[in-house]
Amino acid sequence: MQKFMDWLQNTIMPPMAKVGNNKYLVSIRNGLVLTLPAIISGSVFMILANIPIPAWTRFIKPYVNMMGVATNASFGIISLLAVIGISFQLAKALDVDAISAAGLGTMAFIVLSFNDKYTLDTANFSSSGLFTAIITAFVSVLIFHFFESRNIVIKLPAGVPAAVSNSFVALLPGFVILLLFWTVRMPLGIDINKVVQAIFHPLLFAMNTLPGILVYTLLVSLLWVCGIHGDMTLQGISDPIFLQFLTANATALAHHQPLPFNTAMGFSSLFVNVGGTGATITLVILMLFSKSKTYKELGRVAFPSALFEINEPVIFGFPLVMNPITMIPFIGVPLILATGTFILMSIGWVSAPSAMVPWTMPPIIGPLMATNWDWRAAVWSAVELVIATACYYPFFKTAEKQMIAAENKPADEAKAEA
């Protein structure tokens, strides 16, 4: 076991830590935060329009189309918001004017969204244009950085207000960005969005398969075991994919069509890592009834946050990091829950996520809301808690026995001295 832990620490973790700190992946992760208020707000309208209570359904029926406007307006601009946020965050990382960079990135993205009839195709503003938004943001900001770092800009006298001065600094790179993206889309006639979708299609397909989601789940858990925030490290790669899945499911639900993706945003946070990564709320519950004073006190401290999916107190307080006793259930439980959830969604026994709810939503309630009030999702979430508790129990008892022995050691030594 120690050799395995050393291998993880020395071989796997250093490159993964570099991936997690990569400025481009961090800019994607932080930039996509800009989309969350719109997605969550739109999801609220979707949830309210589909509450499965007959009286409510009759009351809301005349207003369903009106509420659909709010849903379409929020989910329908995810890529537009993403290019703004990612351009802004990457510009900050490269130390160039973030507001100007966000404006230029947005301009480039809109140029690419014109169709062959020279009219703006707003369909690209939805999740289908998410990868195009990422690439557009990167290219635009890098061009801006190239010009500014080499001082190929128009500079005004020192007394000119910063807002005016920065707009002139962005003038030359802005023209080059516009010329580049216009040339690609119009004279050359290349539809970047279709090209990008074709390139990323294998990745999209893989992440909606059971092997793909299991590999992702395993990586998240392994990173946490070594003290690296697994979810944050992989967000820059996974969030654009899961977000696109969620938007596609929401659109399908609005048109009364089958949901195409099981692993949409919320699959991992609500169904796999129930009560925090590793389903650790069950470990906290076991600690509440522990014979160990240390674990009982830690359980009391950690339970309120664990109820809302925040499990750092137990991960670093138990600790679970580099702990060979709890490593097996911490890694194994999410894999079991991911497999069970994927199978149930595939055969139609549980609905896939179609609405964005905050990842801090408690178990049972979060899955219920995310799946358009599917009561079976709530039941499965409760069953998951039982499964996770059963898996953690023998390993917790081993750790508890060691902790009790450590707690009694000072008393035993005092008796020996007496």
Side-chain angles (χ1 to χ4, degrees):
M1 180 63 72
Q2 187 58 45
K3 289 183 178 180
F4 177 72
M5 299 298 289
D6 291 340
W7 176 77
L8 280 178
Q9 189 72 20
N10 300 325
T11 307
I12 301 298
M13 292 309 112
M16 294 304 293
K18 289 182 179 179
V19 168
N21 294 322
N22 181 275
K23 67 179 68 175
Y24 296 96
L25 293 180
V26 170
S27 68
I28 295 174
R29 184 182 70 204
N30 295 340
L32 287 176
V33 171
L34 186 63
T35 68
L36 294 184
I39 298 172
I40 294 175
S41 299
S43 296
V44 170
F45 278 85
M46 179 178 293
I47 291 169
L48 290 175
N50 293 278
I51 297 177
I53 300 174
W56 177 262
T57 303
R58 288 192 297 270
F59 168 76
I60 205 70
K61 187 176 181 179
Y63 311 104
V64 168
N65 291 335
M66 289 187 195
M67 299 183 76
V69 171
T71 302
N72 293 332
S74 52
F75 280 92
I77 60 168
I78 288 177
S79 296
L80 189 61
L81 293 175
V83 74
I84 296 171
I86 295 169
S87 298
F88 185 90
Q89 294 295 336
L90 183 57
K92 284 174 59 179
L94 297 177
D95 199 25
V96 296
D97 183 47
I99 293 295
S100 297
L104 295 177
T106 306
M107 174 188 68
F109 179 72
I110 290 176
V111 169
L112 293 180
S113 298
F114 277 80
N115 58 30
D116 295 333
K117 296 180 180 179
Y118 312 122
T119 56
L120 185 62
D121 185 2
T122 56
N124 291 336
F125 292 178
S126 65
S127 64
S128 62
L130 200 51
F131 288 108
T132 305
I134 294 170
I135 294 173
T136 303
F138 284 178
V139 174
S140 300
V141 175
L142 288 175
I143 291 174
F144 189 15
H145 178 257
F146 175 86
F147 275 79
E148 188 166 330
S149 63
R150 287 161 178 76
N151 205 27
I152 312 174
V153 294
I154 299 173
K155 288 191 174 181
L156 298 181
V160 177
V164 177
S165 177
N166 288 339
S167 66
F168 275 84
V169 168
L171 187 58
L172 288 179
F175 176 76
V176 172
I177 291 169
L178 179 60
L179 178 63
L180 172 65
F181 285 90
W182 172 81
T183 302
V184 169
R185 185 65 194 98
M186 290 303 156
L188 297 181
I190 301 174
D191 190 335
I192 294 294
N193 197 46
K194 290 182 179 179
V195 173
V196 171
Q197 286 291 322
I199 293 173
F200 283 95
H201 179 74
L203 180 60
L204 291 172
F205 174 77
M207 289 299 281
N208 193 47
T209 63
L210 182 56
I213 197 63
L214 288 179
V215 169
Y216 169 77
T217 302
L218 176 63
L219 287 175
V220 169
S221 300
L222 284 175
L223 288 169
W224 268 116
V225 164
C226 294
I228 299 174
H229 198 305
D231 305 271
M232 293 286 285
T233 300
L234 299 179
Q235 265 185 341
I237 300 171
S238 62
D239 274 11
I241 298 172
F242 295 145
L243 200 55
Q244 187 167 339
F245 290 171
L246 181 71
T247 306
N249 282 358
T251 303
L253 178 65
H255 292 87
H256 307 288
Q257 298 172 349
L259 306 188
F261 298 106
N262 292 330
T263 59
M265 187 78 78
F267 179 92
S268 293
S269 60
L270 299 175
F271 288 98
V272 176
N273 296 311
V274 53
T277 304
T280 49
I281 191 174
T282 55
L283 180 60
V284 174
I285 293 171
L286 289 172
M287 285 194 288
L288 290 174
F289 300 95
S290 176
K291 296 177 182 178
S292 164
K293 295 179 180 178
T294 303
Y295 283 155
K296 180 170 286 188
E297 188 61 32
L298 177 59
R300 290 171 180 169
V301 172
F303 182 75
S305 58
L307 187 61
F308 296 97
E309 305 279 336
I310 300 170
N311 64 343
E312 277 81 355
V314 65
I315 284 182
F316 296 104
F318 191 85
L320 299 177
V321 174
M322 302 302 290
N323 187 336
I325 296 177
T326 54
M327 183 181 71
I328 294 175
F330 185 80
I331 295 174
V333 168
L335 296 176
I336 294 171
L337 300 185
T339 302
T341 303
F342 190 92
I343 292 173
L344 289 175
M345 289 181 178
S346 297
I347 62 179
W349 285 13
V350 174
S351 297
S354 57
M356 172 76 85
V357 299
W359 62 270
T360 52
M361 196 63 70
I364 301 175
I365 299 174
L368 178 66
M369 296 176 66
T371 56
N372 191 37
W373 305 104
D374 184 358
W375 62 270
R376 298 169 300 179
V379 172
W380 171 238
S381 181
V383 172
E384 286 184 306
L385 293 174
V386 175
I387 294 173
T389 303
C391 292
Y392 268 106
Y393 183 79
F395 298 94
F396 170 72
K397 281 300 181 182
T398 301
E400 181 188 51
K401 189 178 294 185
Q402 293 180 358
M403 181 58 72
I404 292 174
E407 291 171 347
N408 293 334
K409 189 175 181 180
D412 294 339
E413 290 177 351
K415 289 180 180 178
E417 290 177 2

